[in-house]
């Protein structure tokens, strides 16, 4: 069946993988990638599919309600996959208002646009909102996991903004009947991630023999999910998920930060031909992040049992693929860290 799919934030890290998957897997779908092209949005992430006939890029801000209504109406959008968000916790601590605007008001604008344009005709329509496990707060080292029934307990401005957006999505379902799905995912890693995030930052710093800043003692635990597996999960849930339901997406792959960092060091040194342990001296312990959650761990059992999805890669395999990609794509990494990609796309879209 012909579908016109709007993917917001499609020039970002996770979004670009979702766009690529849908463009390649569903040639009969029209895929519209809507992105504001803030610092983390980079169309070079999609250079391999930008000429495909079923792909269209739309430069716009999700906070602009009138433009959102025009995009949905003019392109007869039947499904929205909403990934556009500010997502870096440290940035949210420094500037929480930006996160409230983008994550809360941006989601609300998109919901309202969908409601008004679809106007009660919800057959074959879906608003799919991608969120984070950080809305659940923190776990102890007691073997428990976040489930779809875990009470929300956000601790940072970022997670609070995502929790609020999740509530608005569910409120539009309950109040107006808007067909929605919400997913909460664990930490993603893989190609095209903006190098302010831990894994690409540390790969790049090891390349240049720069310090590797570790919060506190590095004992915080995260569940890591390969981004291509996340895109696969989004595909399955978009097509087969239950209207009004929530699904957790995790990697069943917990690592203490310091142990993860040592794996990255070992892998990068090996691929660069350095003697094992060469870059461990770069580890630098820094003051812990304010409100730093101790442990995240997602239980994806519901997704596996109901829709048949599970991660395809073990972490060691995924991290080696990831490190190889960054080392083989140093021009992309250098352009992002230098800001050259922003200058290129500003000129392309006549930005001041």
């Amino acid at each position: 069946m012909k579908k016109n799919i709007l993917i917001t934030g499609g020039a970002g890290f996770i979004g670009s993988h979702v766009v690529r998957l849908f463009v390649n897997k569903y040639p009969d779908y029209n895929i519209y990638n809507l992105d504001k092209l803030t610092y983390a949005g980079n169309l070079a992430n999609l250079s391999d599919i930008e000429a495909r006939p079923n792909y269209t890029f739309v430069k716009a801000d999700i906070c602009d309600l009138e433009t959102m209504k025009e995009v949905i109406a003019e392109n007869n959008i039947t499904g929205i996959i909403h990934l556009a968000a500010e997502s870096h916790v440290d940035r949210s601590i420094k500037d929480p208002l930006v996160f409230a605007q983008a994550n809360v008001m941006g989601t609300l604008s998109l919901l309202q646009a969908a409601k008004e344009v679809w106007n009660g005709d919800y057959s074959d329509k879906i608003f799919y909102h991608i969120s984070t496990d950080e809305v659940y707060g923190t776990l102890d080292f007691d073997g428990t996991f976040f489930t779809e029934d875990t009470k929300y307990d956000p601790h940072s401005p970022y997670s609070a903004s995502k929790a609020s957006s999740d509530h608005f999505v569910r409120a539009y379902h309950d109040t107006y009947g808007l067909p929605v799905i919400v997913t909460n995912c664990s930490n993603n890693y893989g190609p095209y991630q903006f190098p302010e995030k831990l894994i690409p930052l540390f790969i790049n710093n090891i390349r240049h023999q720069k310090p590797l800043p570790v919060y506190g003692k590095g004992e915080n635990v995260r569940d890591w999910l390969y981004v291509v597996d996340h895109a696969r999960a989004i595909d399955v849930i978009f097509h087969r998920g239950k209207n009004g339901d929530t699904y957790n997406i995790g990697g069943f792959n917990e690592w203490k930060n310091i142990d993860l960092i040592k794996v990255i060091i070992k892998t990068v040194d090996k691929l660069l031909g350095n003697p094992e342990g060469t870059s461990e001296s770069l580890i630098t312990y820094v003051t812990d992040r304010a409100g730093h959650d101790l442990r995240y761990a997602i239980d994806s059992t519901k997704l596996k049992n109901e829709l048949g999805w599970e991660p395809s890669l073990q972490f060691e395999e995924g991290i080696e693929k990831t490190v190889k990609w960054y080392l083989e794509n140093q021009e992309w990494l250098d352009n992002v860290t230098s800001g050259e990609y922003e200058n290129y796309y500003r000129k392309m879209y006549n930005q001041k």
Side-chain angles (χ1 to χ4, degrees):
M1 181 184 226
K2 190 73 172 179
K3 293 182 183 290
N4 299 315
I5 310 302
L6 178 66
I7 301 176
T8 71
F13 168 46
I14 300 172
S16 62
H17 285 276
V18 176
V19 168
R20 177 178 295 102
L21 174 62
F22 274 67
V23 167
N24 287 333
K25 186 174 179 180
Y26 302 106
D28 291 336
Y29 289 10
N30 293 314
I31 306 301
Y32 296 87
N33 168 17
L34 187 145
D35 202 293
K36 187 180 178 182
L37 294 183
T38 58
Y39 77 95
N42 184 359
L43 286 175
N45 296 354
L46 292 164
S47 58
D48 56 320
I49 57 98
E50 63 185 1
R52 296 290 178 87
N54 63 330
Y55 171 76
T56 301
F57 174 68
V58 180
K59 184 179 183 298
D61 184 349
I62 58 171
C63 292
D64 184 341
L65 175 60
E66 293 307 314
T67 298
M68 292 306 98
K69 290 195 290 186
E70 289 174 8
V71 169
I72 294 170
E74 292 176 3
N75 299 294
N76 191 26
I77 297 299
T78 55
I80 297 170
I81 302 176
H82 177 38
L83 292 121
E86 293 284 348
S87 65
H88 195 247
V89 174
D90 287 348
R91 288 179 183 263
S92 80
I93 293 170
K94 293 177 181 177
D95 198 349
L97 296 182
V98 168
F99 280 68
Q101 179 68 18
N103 297 351
V104 183
M105 297 308 298
T107 300
L108 184 55
S109 170
L110 201 58
L111 285 164
Q112 184 66 16
K115 181 181 86 71
E116 291 187 26
V117 174
W118 290 343
N119 194 28
D121 179 10
Y122 296 145
S123 59
D124 297 317
K125 307 287 199 312
I126 194 69
F127 187 108
Y128 179 178
H129 175 65
I130 284 82
S131 188
T132 172
D133 59 359
E134 297 190 38
V135 299
Y136 297 127
T138 188
L139 293 167
D140 291 325
F141 295 117
D142 57 2
T144 57
F145 292 86
F146 297 136
T147 72
E148 289 81 1
D149 296 321
T150 300
K151 181 181 176 181
Y152 275 30
D153 187 24
H155 293 153
S156 72
Y158 163 59
S159 57
S161 69
K162 290 299 290 184
S164 179
S165 66
D166 294 5
H167 291 323
F168 269 112
V169 172
R170 295 188 179 103
Y172 265 67
H173 173 72
D174 294 346
T175 304
Y176 306 112
L178 193 75
V180 307
I181 292 174
V182 176
T183 55
N184 300 85
C185 72
S186 59
N187 283 30
N188 280 219
Y189 72 98
Y192 298 110
Q193 188 169 28
F194 193 82
E196 66 184 355
K197 298 299 180 81
L198 189 151
I199 290 177
L201 172 67
F202 278 37
I203 293 170
N204 198 41
N205 283 11
I206 294 168
R207 273 179 64 208
H208 297 291
Q209 290 295 289
K210 292 182 177 180
L212 306 177
V214 180
Y215 283 125
K217 297 180 180 179
E219 294 180 346
N220 302 74
V221 172
R222 298 294 180 262
D223 176 17
W224 292 91
L225 174 65
Y226 190 57
V227 66
V228 176
D229 280 336
H230 188 190
R232 287 177 46 245
I234 290 171
D235 175 24
V236 170
I237 294 165
F238 177 81
H239 287 95
R240 294 169 47 209
K242 181 181 176 183
N243 177 18
D245 217 342
T246 299
Y247 299 89
N248 279 348
I249 310 173
F252 292 105
N253 183 38
E254 292 183 60
W255 285 80
K256 279 188 179 181
N257 284 348
I258 190 62
D259 294 335
L260 167 73
I261 289 161
K262 289 180 179 179
V263 171
I264 296 169
I265 291 170
K266 181 178 180 180
T267 306
V268 176
D269 278 342
K270 181 182 75 172
L271 293 175
L272 289 177
N274 298 330
E276 185 171 335
T278 296
S279 301
E280 284 202 15
S281 62
L282 299 174
I283 294 174
T284 305
Y285 294 96
V286 299
T287 302
D288 205 358
R289 169 190 284 163
H292 199 178
D293 292 330
L294 182 63
R295 173 176 168 257
Y296 302 148
I298 280 277
D299 184 349
S300 299
T301 302
K302 175 180 174 179
L303 178 57
K304 179 180 179 180
N305 290 345
E306 293 189 9
L307 301 181
W309 176 91
E310 58 185 334
S312 67
L313 290 181
Q314 295 299 315
F315 183 72
E316 289 81 357
E317 180 185 359
I319 200 66
E320 181 146 341
K321 287 182 69 170
T322 299
V323 171
K324 280 183 178 178
W325 187 89
Y326 284 104
L327 295 181
E328 292 170 358
N329 290 272
Q330 294 186 24
E331 182 179 0
W332 179 93
L333 191 54
D334 291 340
N335 283 342
V336 171
T337 53
S338 70
E340 278 303 307
Y341 75 104
E342 290 187 286
N343 295 330
Y344 175 78
Y345 288 111
R346 279 198 188 103
K347 291 175 184 177
M348 178 182 292
Y349 291 99
N350 297 316
Q351 292 177 287
K352 294 183 180 179

